[in-house]
Amino acid sequence: MHMLARGFAQPALRPLSRAALSSPCQRIARSPLCTSPPCAARSTTPFRILVDLQKKFLSSPKYAVVGASKDQSKFGTKVLKWYQARNKDVTPIHPKEDELEGLKTVRSISDLPAPTETSISIITPPKVTLGILEQAKALNVPALWLQPGAEDEAVVAYIKENGLQDKVIYGGPCILVEGDGVIQSLL
């Protein structure tokens, strides 16, 4: 075990194979904003499928973030700022706030102007995530990225039981770590 900056113990990762180390995920510089282990060591999605899902996600014309707040230290806000820094058309979704980071919010994903053209980043507790996935399925949202910690066994079961594996990135990959590399691969 080693200690992270915030003082939480994290199990030591097993050494990755030569093939895993040559993957794009492992070559991307880790963001200082993300303290999660590299995705290749954690993801439950096979690598090729994961890369295709990430490309699909970041090819959308519009984005939304569920889980941003006025708290600058929260990862939801960091993800929202990540989109803004890359000049992406992003909408924060918040049930109470009218504006976050200078952007007008909507109350739920059903209030998005074009949910069928919007990829959604989810940075919420698993119980909240489950409700968002249900709404996203009903609205035919093309792609969702569950940031680390947004899923549990019930969320994963819902994804599998509802055939959403081709729309949902889950199991550990973080957009703050891998997003720039995926964008570069799309150029």
Side-chain angles (χ1 to χ4, degrees):
M1 300 282 236
H2 66 279
M3 301 299 283
L4 297 175
R6 291 184 284 187
F8 295 107
Q10 175 180 341
L13 297 175
R14 61 178 163 68
L16 296 174
S17 68
R18 190 176 294 255
L21 288 173
S22 66
S23 73
C25 285
Q26 294 303 312
R27 289 193 307 259
I28 297 169
R30 291 193 34 89
S31 167
L33 301 175
C34 188
T35 57
S36 301
C39 75
R42 296 178 291 119
S43 181
T44 58
T45 306
F47 181 72
R48 175 79 335 233
I49 295 169
L50 176 63
V51 170
D52 290 345
L53 279 170
Q54 290 173 331
K55 286 180 178 180
K56 175 182 176 181
F57 183 92
L58 287 169
S59 294
S60 289
K62 299 177 183 295
Y63 300 91
V65 176
V66 182
S69 70
K70 290 191 176 213
D71 186 340
Q72 299 292 307
S73 69
K74 296 289 187 179
F75 279 98
T77 305
K78 291 176 183 183
V79 170
L80 178 61
K81 288 175 147 188
W82 183 89
Y83 287 109
Q84 288 180 301
R86 285 144 189 86
N87 297 312
K88 300 293 184 188
D89 183 359
V90 63
T91 302
I93 299 172
H94 196 284
K96 297 177 184 170
E97 298 294 340
D98 293 325
E99 183 180 291
L100 291 172
E101 298 303 315
L103 300 171
K104 184 180 181 317
T105 64
V106 296
R107 299 290 182 232
S108 74
I109 65 173
S110 61
D111 296 328
L112 288 168
T116 60
E117 299 174 12
T118 306
S119 287
I120 302 176
S121 286
I122 301 173
I123 312 94
T124 58
K127 287 183 181 180
V128 176
T129 299
L130 196 53
I132 295 164
L133 288 175
E134 291 167 351
Q135 291 176 43
K137 181 181 179 215
L139 293 167
N140 200 25
V141 171
L144 300 108
W145 193 322
L146 308 185
Q147 295 302 304
E151 83 270 349
D152 61 10
E153 290 178 15
V155 170
V156 173
Y158 181 85
I159 291 167
K160 292 177 179 177
E161 290 165 6
N162 288 276
L164 297 175
Q165 299 96 316
D166 64 335
K167 291 186 175 193
V168 182
I169 300 165
Y170 66 97
C174 177
I175 198 165
L176 298 175
V177 175
E178 300 177 29
D180 287 331
V182 176
I183 289 172
Q184 287 299 315
S185 74
L186 293 171
L187 300 177

